[in-house]
Amino acid sequence: MKTRSDADRTAALHPHRRRLAIISFLLGFLCFAGLLTVAYLLAPVIQGSGIAPPRTPVPIAELAERQQDTIREQAAGKTTHTRNFVTRMHARQQQDPDATMDFLILSGGGANGAFGAGFLIGWATVPAGPAALPTFDGVTGVSTGSFIAPFAYLGTDRARREVDDFFRNPRPDWVTSREPISFYPENMSLMEVSGIRRDLEAIVDLDFAKRIDAATTEGRLLLIQASNIDEQIPGVFDFADAARKSIEAGDTERLHEIILASCAIPAVFPPREIDGNLYVDGGAIGNFYAGGRASAAKDTFGGQWKRTYPDAPIPKTRYWVILNGNLRIPPAISQPTWPAVADRAFQLLYTSAEITALRRLFDLAELTRLRGDGDVEVRWISVEQELASPDPMNMFDAKTMRSLSDHGRMLGADPTSWRTVAP
């Protein structure tokens, strides 16, 4: 049995123990906080090339003026391109009265670009006729579509095999986490894409630029869309012109930067600075590019044609849209957890924007016909098989991508695969 003096001593010890526990906790917390602080302060040294130097601020008024200048330049460029198409098509019409003006539109979709690459392989096997693979007057690409677009523009069996092989054989190091602290807020991105760049440089070289230049006849167009986040507008690059300048400079870096800019998933892949502006994935503006803002009636192809060649019939325009993904995500019961809700909601946002853009293209086609500015047809195709949500730890799975390429080849070889009605 404890004596009273023992009880008093025990009671007296309790406050000391509590104070000791509190002091130990505080010291442990301070040590942990100190380690975090040291790690944060040393991160710029540890992260190395993952941190880009700060960019020079520009006054808002100057940026706003620059934005308007870019918008005006893009509008003027579009009018010039349209005028060139009129000249091009009139010359073709003299040789073939039934000549059509054909545009290929390639959407974004990440690893799903394997579908579009395979589709071109299958499409090339379709016999001559209305659904046969044409020589395109214009090709546009966004994100993964920007990888495919230059090869589709070349339009040769060799080019189609090259881009299909690229998508069918992804390497494990295409995308890697930034080490050792991928989520450090000063990083350019969570991931590095040095592996993708290496393999891109291997196929988009000076010889490739010369092939693009040789394929660029008068009025023909190859456009790649990225998103200009400085000026908050589309960044549309003339890839054929960039190829010509690369040949003159003996350096293809600009071609690589344009493609990588179009594919730069915000926060995930590093942005690219081109001509003083910062660019990310073209899908941030729109997942496919079909000409941007509608032109005034007098500046459209039909409007310019009627003024220039009033006695000649307006050639038919055909849009061929390859969507590298599901147009609609299959219905499912969504679980009430934030990851599940975020995943389903993001998919809904993505596909809804694509559906709206596709419907707008059909509306513009109908408006063109109603104005008497020529006949316009829109055909589109998307991945028919259900796609699983992308795995952030394995964004480019070879088995999945080969399956998508095979699926694309099958649909491409079947002329009835094309949809001709708005979704």
Side-chain angles (χ1 to χ4, degrees), residues 162-360:
E162 285 174 330
V163 71
D164 189 53
D165 286 345
F166 180 84
F167 278 96
R168 290 181 72 90
N169 297 286
R171 305 225 189 154
D173 67 345
W174 267 12
V175 176
T176 56
S177 295
R178 291 198 181 276
E179 299 296 341
I181 310 173
S182 64
F183 54 86
Y184 181 61
E186 300 298 322
N187 283 348
M188 290 185 287
S189 58
L190 294 169
M191 304 282 191
E192 294 185 85
V193 294
S194 54
I196 290 180
R197 184 179 189 114
R198 176 200 62 224
D199 290 353
L200 175 65
E201 289 174 349
I203 57 175
V204 178
D205 54 12
L206 274 176
D207 176 67
F208 185 83
K210 291 174 182 177
R211 289 159 61 193
I212 290 288
D213 188 54
T216 304
T217 53
E218 187 66 31
R220 199 164 183 239
L221 205 56
L222 172 57
L223 301 179
I224 302 297
Q225 176 182 280
S227 299
N228 181 339
I229 58 173
D230 285 345
E231 299 176 12
Q232 293 288 292
I233 55 176
V236 184
F237 295 95
D238 185 333
F239 199 81
D241 182 64
R244 179 180 56 79
K245 291 177 179 176
S246 292
I247 296 167
E248 293 172 355
D251 184 356
T252 54
E253 182 180 5
R254 186 176 181 84
L255 300 183
H256 308 145
E257 288 295 293
I258 290 172
I259 293 174
L260 292 172
S262 183
C263 299
I265 303 171
V268 181
F269 294 170
R272 324 303 295 197
E273 186 169 354
I274 303 174
D275 299 333
N277 284 313
L278 202 63
Y279 292 91
V280 298
D281 197 318
I285 291 289
N287 204 39
F288 63 80
Y289 179 72
R293 180 184 298 182
S295 302
K298 65 181 180 62
D299 294 325
T300 62
F301 177 81
Q304 290 198 36
W305 181 281
K306 287 191 293 189
R307 289 200 311 274
T308 310
Y309 306 110
D311 298 325
I314 302 174
K316 178 189 289 185
T317 298
R318 301 190 298 179
Y319 291 101
W320 308 84
V321 185
I322 298 178
L323 303 177
N324 290 297
N326 298 138
L327 186 62
R328 281 191 173 88
I329 303 302
I333 297 298
S334 303
Q335 296 304 317
T337 62
W338 75 259
V341 170
D343 180 51
R344 296 287 293 180
F346 177 78
Q347 290 176 335
L348 181 60
L349 286 168
Y350 180 86
T351 56
S352 294
E354 203 162 56
I355 289 169
T356 299
L358 196 52
R359 288 174 177 169
R360 179 175 178 271

